[in-house]
């Protein structure tokens, strides 16, 4: 999860929502990704999607059932769907997403979820990002 947090920090520095993701095979990181939706003006450029695509390229196929995916925030519906279609069996989540998280969908498809790993750090980075964004936009913090 520390590597996923490093990816999230890269997104933060680019003024992107700080979410990071890494794919691990046999205790080795084989792919990385962080949000670049604003940079690329691409609604699909989520950390998880980017990481899954890189992992598939590295593995030479789209069946990723042997990897463990680490993501700093509970995946959205689109990313959860991509995980299911890629046959990912294990997902490790930093912070829960009360509004947009699709962990229940992953569980429905028998994906093993591990939650709350480095939760404080993952949540803290998101809180800092959105606090700065509100400041910039002149919104009261809350």
């Amino acid at each position: 999860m520390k590597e996923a947090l490093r990816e999230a920090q890269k997104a933060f520095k680019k003024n992107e929502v700080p979410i990071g993701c890494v794919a691990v095979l046999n205790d080795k990181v084989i792919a990385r990704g962080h949000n670049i939706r604003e940079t690329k003006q691409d609604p699909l450029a989520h950390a998880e999607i980017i990481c899954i695509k890189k992992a598939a390229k590295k593995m030479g196929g789209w069946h990723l059932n042997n990897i463990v995916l680490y993501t700093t925030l509970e995946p959205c519906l689109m990313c959860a769907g991509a995980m299911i279609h890629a046959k990912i069996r294990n997902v490790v989540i930093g912070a829960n997403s009360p509004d947009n998280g699709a962990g229940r969908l992953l569980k429905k498809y028998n994906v093993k979820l591990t939650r709350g790993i480095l939760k404080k750090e993952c949540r803290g980075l998101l809180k800092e990002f959105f606090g700065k964004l509100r400041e910039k936009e002149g919104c009261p913090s809350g």
Side-chain angles (χ1 to χ4, degrees):
M1 188 59 74
K2 287 180 182 178
E3 292 297 318
L5 262 169
R6 283 188 185 93
E7 288 297 312
Q9 290 164 343
K10 290 177 186 177
F12 186 96
K13 289 176 184 173
K14 295 176 182 177
N15 291 316
E16 298 275 358
V17 176
I19 299 170
C21 184
V22 296
V24 175
L25 178 66
N26 300 325
D27 296 321
K28 182 180 176 194
V29 174
I30 63 163
R32 302 167 178 275
H34 58 272
N35 274 2
I36 52 172
R37 289 188 308 171
E38 299 300 327
T39 303
K40 297 285 185 179
Q41 290 298 294
D42 179 354
L44 306 179
H46 288 209
E48 298 90 341
I49 299 294
I50 292 164
C51 187
I52 289 168
K53 287 171 113 178
K54 288 179 179 178
K57 186 174 183 179
K58 177 88 173 189
M59 299 285 292
W62 61 272
H63 287 220
L64 303 178
N65 51 308
N66 292 325
I67 70 164
V68 178
L69 203 69
Y70 290 78
T71 182
T72 58
L73 184 66
E74 182 178 356
C76 70
L77 186 59
M78 175 183 70
C79 293
M83 291 171 195
I84 291 163
H85 287 288
K87 307 198 180 302
I88 295 169
R89 307 297 346 136
N90 291 294
V91 177
V92 180
I93 298 168
N96 290 332
S97 178
D99 298 328
N100 298 315
R104 288 175 58 188
L105 177 66
L106 290 170
K107 285 186 85 93
K108 180 180 176 183
Y109 283 87
N110 298 313
V111 175
K112 180 185 173 205
L113 297 181
T114 304
R115 294 178 179 269
I117 306 303
L118 297 179
K119 175 172 69 173
K120 185 178 176 183
E121 293 87 341
C122 294
R123 190 177 283 161
L125 190 58
L126 286 161
K127 190 174 181 179
E128 182 183 352
F129 175 80
F130 286 110
K132 286 183 177 189
L133 187 63
R134 280 190 293 273
E135 243 178 56
K136 183 179 172 184
E137 294 176 354
C139 298
S141 59

